[in-house]
Amino acid sequence: MPFPQAPATAPLRLVVADDNPVVRAGLTALLSGREDTTVVAEAADGREAYEAALRHRPDVVLLDVRMPGVDGISALPHLVRLAPVMMLTYSHETETVREALRLGAGGYLVHGEFGTEQLVRAVRDVCEGRPHVTPGAARALLPPAANAHPEPELPALPREMSAKGLSQLQSPVGQSFRSSFQLSIREAEIMDLVASGMTNHQIAATCFISEKTVKNHINHIFAKLHTTNRTQATAKWLGVR
């Protein structure tokens, strides 16, 4: 008699909250294209994130910090009553990281410091109650003197995050994987602006160059990143390839 197969595990249901539509689209495409995760709703600010979490009751909410209207930090105390929350953001300022963890965030990931599998592992860790932070967030938890030490010892995390949780820290990959793209300094600057959601016109005004020059740079960037559009390029640049 054949041994019965274990039932398939249902994919984790996620809400993605970020005011940048390119980032949202990239994360949704990435996380909905897997067997173990799916995005059930997107949100452009904290209020939409709360409404989506109330409606869908997701397993985890992925939450940006800086958003117009209700920002991530303001929404966080309300969201954690509905689902585990993982901050997924560019912001790694000390006060922001500490406040997010104090208010109940189960993890804190800084864009550019993780790859696809690391992101999915972090989502599952947070869902199961294991804290997960990337190096940029971990450094923000150190006292000022410790940041200058070559091999600092991490202090206890807020909200009783355990030393076991710190073992989930990822190795710094932000600079290493970006350097592999071999973008010039100007191309990297423009790619950061693309990832922030700026149009070609806005990038041209910011960099004091013509839109045609911006288009040329973006075409070179797409070639180096082996992508064909802004969404794909942003996903790679943010480390969610």
Side-chain angles (χ1 to χ4, degrees), residues 3-199:
F3 193 80
Q5 292 184 340
T9 303
L12 293 180
R13 302 169 66 255
L14 312 174
V15 166
V16 173
D18 195 298
D19 64 313
N20 186 332
V22 177
V23 173
R24 286 202 311 273
L27 289 170
T28 297
L30 172 76
L31 294 169
S32 291
R34 301 175 56 96
E35 294 182 355
D36 48 358
T37 57
T38 187
V39 175
V40 295
E42 297 180 20
D45 64 16
R47 184 179 299 279
E48 288 186 10
Y50 177 77
E51 292 172 351
L54 197 61
R55 183 166 59 253
H56 294 281
R57 298 290 172 159
D59 296 303
V60 179
V61 176
L62 307 185
L63 184 66
D64 189 18
V65 169
R66 294 193 177 95
M67 295 181 287
V70 179
D71 62 41
I73 296 298
S74 298
L76 186 54
H78 306 282
L79 286 167
V80 295
R81 299 171 189 168
L82 303 176
V85 176
M86 183 171 71
M87 309 307 293
L88 187 60
T89 178
Y90 282 109
S91 306
H92 53 79
E93 294 84 357
T94 298
E95 291 184 5
T96 302
V97 176
R98 288 180 178 274
E99 183 68 0
L101 297 176
R102 185 185 72 79
L103 291 173
Y108 201 111
L109 272 63
V110 178
H111 283 305
E113 296 187 338
F114 55 89
T116 301
E117 295 305 320
Q118 293 167 318
L119 172 60
V120 173
R121 187 186 318 130
V123 168
R124 189 163 296 281
D125 283 344
V126 169
C127 180
E128 296 175 358
R130 295 190 295 272
H132 201 122
V133 296
T134 52
R139 284 191 294 272
L141 299 174
L142 296 170
N147 276 304
H149 196 279
E151 294 184 359
E153 181 178 343
L154 292 175
L157 287 171
R159 297 187 66 84
E160 299 181 352
M161 286 188 171
S162 66
K164 180 181 179 182
L166 281 174
S167 69
Q168 303 296 323
L169 287 174
Q170 306 303 322
S171 59
V173 298
Q175 294 304 318
S176 61
F177 89 77
R178 285 190 176 183
S179 64
S180 68
F181 299 139
Q182 298 184 332
L183 268 59
S184 67
I185 294 175
R186 174 61 100 181
E187 289 169 347
E189 177 186 6
I190 288 175
M191 189 58 232
D192 278 332
L193 298 177
V194 169
S196 74
M198 281 192 180
T199 64

Side-chain angles (χ1 to χ4, degrees), residues 223-240:
K224 290 181 178 181
L225 270 58
H226 303 292
T227 57
T228 58
N229 57 54
R230 290 168 113 88
T231 298
Q232 293 173 356
T234 296
K236 275 200 171 184
W237 191 245
L238 296 182
V240 291

